[in-house]
């Protein structure tokens, strides 16, 4: 609804009360309504799901239209990210938020810092989604509040042209609310547990749920060892549980991202049920590391498979887990991906051990041979040593092309001694274009960094501590933080405004008129940052 239409509608409602509401100002109500566009998390989920579906269609038509996100572990971090995006690029188009289960475990659990093993309280995940959207909605209210103050100033100055321009800007305002891709880990239990948590996450505002094919009670970070996968049918039950949750809550465009950890997972806890040669269970079991045995070789407690008239004994570890054959990871990833898309998934996530476009593309080419519009969400993980990986890739390319690489030690390419070399410059350029290259060549629709704000918080705090507690004293803060905030236009330099002080003053004026005791007077030191 347009701003003026809000005013008219509210004016009519107030007039209809014939007296009791005469102290209520229609335009003030209109402003509060415009500043609070989304009333519930479900409204946000429906709105942002529509954005993702539109972006997916745009990517199908043009691979340069890929999307991006950064993982955020607090509402303030997500808010500042979106404010910065709007400041630098003028739009939030194709920029999302990622909610990392790793960061929830490490930073938001009441148990304290935990590894990424689904040990944190599952309710902390929807709580963070709600927090993110609370801060994003506040960013809207704050920015629009500033526009309304400018509107009042234009009216006071009699500047009709500026007044109209501001009202037009309000009517065409782009919200800070963007899609969140939220990590539901391996579902935190059975399919019913997955469904119940999915509902909470969707009700909090999540339009996209990312779920992985690991065993819930053995879940590991995708970049750690010891990962254990489940048979496809077990995983698909949870995929269906997520879809039922979306549909029950009326989020018909909800997005499910299915992640396969099979590339780095060499173990399974279960042997899949198979009734027919070549069925999905039989395909899963075909990757098991087995040895052929005769009837007389059977031992007490052996698990035996019958395949093509042969008796096969899967290798069973003391942990009671079964082992896959080495070298089958890519084949399993491809089967996982195709099966997921054929059973309700919208996007794929293949967790790899290094950022290599051709490795990813090799798997996606096979998936797309079956499902041509298959699209990938890819983790540009901080667990990769990007500098070393890409320098080694360029080294290998030089060597394959017959170039002299005698000046380089492949194992020590991380060294600062190589920073100015042609190899290092070429590697940095490959890192710079990795997302565009992956989107074009490997079907990557969405690029995300899972833990970036974890690392930036640590780095910035380290820099401040080194300066402030050292010889620089207060200059360490002023020069490296506040002065940069002022000169680079960082919104939270006016931290009182960022926390909602001006919004509160506006409300006080609505409620009390001239009697309002406002915080933003001449003695507010935030005036120094005007």
């Amino acid at each position: 609804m347009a701003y003026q239409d809000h005013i008219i509608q509210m004016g009519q409602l107030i007039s209809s009360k014939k007296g009791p509401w005469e102290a209520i100002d229609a335009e003030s109500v209109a402003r509060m309504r415009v500043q609070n566009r989304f009333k519930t998390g479900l409204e946000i989920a429906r709105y942002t799901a529509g954005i993702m579906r539109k972006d997916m269609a745009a990517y199908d038509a043009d691979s340069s239209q890929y999307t991006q996100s950064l993982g955020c572990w607090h509402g303030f971090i997500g808010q500042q990210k979106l404010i910065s995006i709007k400041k630098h690029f003028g739009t939030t188009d194709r920029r999302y938020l990622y909610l990392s289960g790793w960061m929830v475990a490490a930073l938001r659990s009441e148990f304290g810092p935990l590894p990424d093993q689904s040990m944190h309280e599952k309710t902390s995940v929807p709580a963070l989604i709600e927090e993110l959207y609370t801060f994003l909605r506040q960013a809207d209210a704050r920015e629009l509040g500033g526009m309304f103050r400018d509107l009042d100033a234009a009216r006071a100055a009699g500047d009709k042209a500026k007044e109209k321009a501001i009202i037009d800007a309000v009517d065409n305002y782009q919200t800070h609310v963007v899609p969140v891709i939220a990590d539901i880990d391996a579902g935190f239990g059975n399919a019913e547990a997955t469904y119940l948590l999915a509902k909470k996450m969707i009700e909090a505002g999540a339009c996209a749920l990312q779920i992985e094919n690991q065993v819930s009670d053995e879940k590991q970070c995708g970049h750690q060892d010891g990962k254990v996968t489940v048979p496809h049918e077990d995983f698909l039950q949870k995929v269906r549980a997520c879809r039922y949750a979306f549909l029950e809550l009326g989020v018909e465009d909800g997005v499910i991202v299915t992640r396969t950890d099979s590339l780095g997972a060499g173990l399974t806890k279960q042997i899949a049920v198979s009734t027919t040669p070549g069925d999905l269970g039989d395909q899963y079991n075909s990757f098991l590391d087995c040895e052929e045995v005769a009837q007389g070789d059977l031992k007490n407690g052996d698990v035996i498979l019958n395949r093509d008239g042969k008796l096969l004994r899967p290798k069973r570890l003391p942990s009671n887990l079964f082992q896959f054959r080495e070298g089958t990871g890519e084949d399993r990833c491809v089967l996982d991906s195709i099966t997921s898309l054929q059973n309700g998934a919208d996007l794929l996530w293949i967790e790899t051990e290094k950022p290599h476009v051709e490795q990813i593309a090799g798997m996606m080419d096979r998936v797309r041979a079956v499902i041509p519009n298959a699209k990938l969400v890819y983790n540009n993980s901080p667990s990769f040593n990007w500098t070393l990986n890409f320098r080694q890739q360029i080294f290998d390319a030089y060597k394959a092309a017959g170039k002299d690489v005698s000046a380089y030690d492949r194992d020590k390419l991380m060294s600062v001694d190589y920073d100015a070399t042609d190899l290092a410059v070429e590697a940095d350029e490959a890192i710079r274009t990795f997302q565009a290259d992956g989107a074009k060549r490997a079907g990557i629709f969405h690029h995300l960094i899972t833990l970036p704000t974890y690392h930036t918080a640590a780095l910035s705090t380290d820099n401040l501590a080194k300066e402030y507690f050292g010889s620089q004293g207060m200059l360490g803060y002023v020069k490296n933080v506040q002065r940069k905030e002022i000169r680079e236009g960082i919104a939270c330099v006016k931290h009182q405004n960022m926390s909602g002080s001006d919004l509160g003053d506006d409300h006080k004026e609505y409620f009390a008129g001239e009697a309002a005791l406002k915080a933003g007077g001449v003695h507010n030191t935030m005036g120094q940052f005007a």
Side-chain angles (χ1 to χ4, degrees), residues 313-324:
R313 179 166 53 206
K315 291 185 180 176
R316 197 177 196 176
L317 304 179
S319 59
N320 203 28
L321 299 173
F322 296 94
Q323 186 173 295
F324 290 114

Side-chain angles (χ1 to χ4, degrees), residues 255-398:
V255 176
I256 298 174
V257 183
T258 51
R259 172 175 139 180
T260 172
D261 280 281
S262 290
L263 194 62
L267 305 169
T268 184
K269 196 169 189 176
Q270 298 164 262
I271 293 175
V273 173
S274 172
T275 58
T276 307
D279 64 14
L280 196 53
D282 191 41
Q283 292 180 68
Y284 185 81
N285 294 339
S286 71
F287 296 114
L288 292 170
D289 191 359
C290 299
E291 58 183 350
E292 186 175 350
V293 294
Q295 186 75 30
D297 296 331
L298 299 181
K299 301 174 184 176
N300 186 58
D302 272 352
V303 173
I304 299 297
L305 296 178
N306 177 15
R307 181 178 297 128
D308 300 327
K310 296 178 181 178
L311 296 181
L312 302 176
R313 179 166 53 206
K315 291 185 180 176
R316 197 177 196 176
L317 304 179
S319 59
N320 203 28
L321 299 173
F322 296 94
Q323 186 173 295
F324 290 114
R325 297 193 315 279
E326 285 191 20
T328 62
E330 290 200 4
D331 290 339
R332 286 183 281 127
C333 282
V334 171
L335 180 60
D336 295 342
S337 299
I338 292 171
T339 301
S340 292
L341 292 175
Q342 289 174 334
N343 287 272
D346 301 292
L347 295 168
L348 302 171
W349 175 317
I350 299 176
E351 194 77 325
T352 66
E353 84 290 358
K354 60 181 180 292
H356 194 293
V357 170
E358 285 305 315
Q359 179 197 30
I360 305 160
M363 289 183 277
M364 283 300 288
D365 285 347
R366 295 169 63 187
V367 174
R368 285 184 149 191
V370 180
I371 302 171
N373 69 339
K375 289 178 284 296
L376 197 63
V377 171
Y378 187 71
N379 178 9
N380 293 221
S381 177
S383 293
F384 303 142
N385 184 331
W386 285 76
T387 301
L388 181 60
N389 265 288
F390 275 83
R391 288 182 180 183
Q392 289 181 338
Q393 288 179 40
I394 300 302
F395 177 95
D396 294 342
Y398 280 3

Side-chain angles (χ1 to χ4, degrees), residues 1 6 30-51 82 86 92 129-130 132-141 144 173-180 202-207:
M1 188 184 295
H6 274 294
R31 291 182 177 186
M32 295 173 82
R33 282 190 158 198
V34 170
Q35 287 172 293
N36 186 27
R37 171 178 172 180
F38 300 100
K39 308 302 186 289
T40 69
L42 282 177
E43 285 184 32
I44 291 172
R46 294 185 188 108
Y47 168 74
T48 53
I51 290 175
L82 267 297
K86 284 194 77 173
T92 61
I129 297 168
E130 183 177 7
L132 285 165
Y133 281 126
T134 296
F135 274 79
L136 295 185
R137 290 161 65 202
Q138 193 260 11
D140 283 356
L144 284 162
Y173 180 79
Q174 186 180 42
T175 176
H176 293 83
V177 169
V178 298
V180 165
I202 297 162
E203 288 169 340
C207 72

Side-chain angles (χ1 to χ4, degrees), residues 14-23:
I14 292 166
S15 296
S16 73
K17 299 302 178 181
K18 301 186 184 302
W21 288 12
E22 64 181 7

